[in-house]
Amino acid sequence: MTALLASGRDADVYALDERRVLRRYRRGGDVTAEAAIMRYVSDHGYPVPRVYAADGADLVLERLDGPTMLQALRDGTIDLHSGATVLADLLERLHKVRVRAATDPGTRILHLDLHPENVVMTEGGPVVIDWRNSTEGPPELDVAMTALIIASVAVLPGPFADRAESFLDTLLSCTRDNPMSQLEAAVHRRTADPNVKAEEKAHLQEAKLLVTTAARAHF
């Protein structure tokens, strides 16, 4: 196996060469659906890594150069307002992509894990990674999930905790989709997600309250 570049909650990323990486899910699984949605949104102009191959639990993807948005926020390369604005724009752009086959006009493509650690700030602009949770549904659910993840950072000790609430407030001031109608659904999804840590699950209601307070200020 080639050099390990990064490890996430459920996958490891290895360098294959200067232009490709291997993303391998530790618990196995089938990446077919993830690869298909990435190719689809890419064909519609949305910024994702190029998919070279997909087999079993392995994805061969374009190698991206640049820090994650979270890293850029921590080192001051990007300020809170700019980062939150970029993230809100990425959500809105995704929700403008035409759904492949849906009878409900309110159905959109959802990422469901779109937060600063899953955005790579390349020279060509922000690129969204980690599409395993992607599905179709109401855009408000995507916004609710993003808001809940950021709020969870705010209510737990960590290097970005003291700024996460301000980031959340700016994000919700920039989005047109009110997350409140789907916030409880987002909580249920986070509760059922095996990759969410027990400590995070224990503070989901606190995070939900923070999202509720921020949303009421803007909707």
Side-chain angles (χ1 to χ4, degrees), residues 57-117:
D58 292 352
L59 276 168
V60 178
L61 302 171
E62 174 188 3
R63 184 170 180 172
L64 302 174
D65 292 322
T68 66
M69 179 185 286
L70 181 59
Q71 290 169 334
L73 287 165
R74 285 175 176 171
D75 65 23
T77 306
I78 184 172
D79 61 68
L80 284 177
H81 185 274
S82 298
T85 301
V86 168
L87 198 61
D89 180 64
L90 287 169
L91 283 162
E92 184 172 348
R93 288 171 61 188
L94 178 60
H95 301 154
K96 287 180 178 178
V97 176
R98 184 182 296 275
V99 176
R100 287 171 291 184
T103 56
D104 184 347
T107 299
R108 295 291 185 269
I109 294 172
L110 313 180
H111 185 279
L112 293 185
D113 200 19
L114 187 43
H115 55 80
E117 282 190 282

Side-chain angles (χ1 to χ4, degrees), residues 165-185:
E165 186 172 350
S166 294
F167 187 93
L168 172 65
D169 185 69
T170 302
L171 174 78
L172 293 183
S173 74
C174 295
T175 181
R176 297 179 302 174
D177 296 313
N178 188 341
M180 289 305 300
S181 65
Q182 296 295 324
L183 184 55
E184 193 60 45

Side-chain angles (χ1 to χ4, degrees), residues 34 37-38 41 46 48 90-91 94-95 108-115 118-119 128-136 141-143 145-146 149 189:
E34 182 176 358
I37 195 67
M38 290 177 70
V41 297
Y46 196 78
V48 299
L90 287 169
L91 283 162
L94 178 60
H95 301 154
R108 295 291 185 269
I109 294 172
L110 313 180
H111 185 279
L112 293 185
D113 200 19
L114 187 43
H115 55 80
N118 281 337
V119 179
V128 178
I129 61 172
D130 195 356
W131 288 79
R132 192 168 211 191
N133 292 344
S134 59
T135 187
E136 295 178 356
L141 178 58
D142 224 2
V143 175
M145 187 66 74
T146 292
I149 291 170
R189 282 178 175 267

Side-chain angles (χ1 to χ4, degrees), residues 21-40:
V21 296
L22 169 66
R23 180 182 177 87
R24 171 168 289 168
Y25 288 102
R26 291 189 290 273
R27 298 188 183 95
D30 184 359
V31 298
T32 303
E34 182 176 358
I37 195 67
M38 290 177 70
R39 286 170 170 147
Y40 180 79

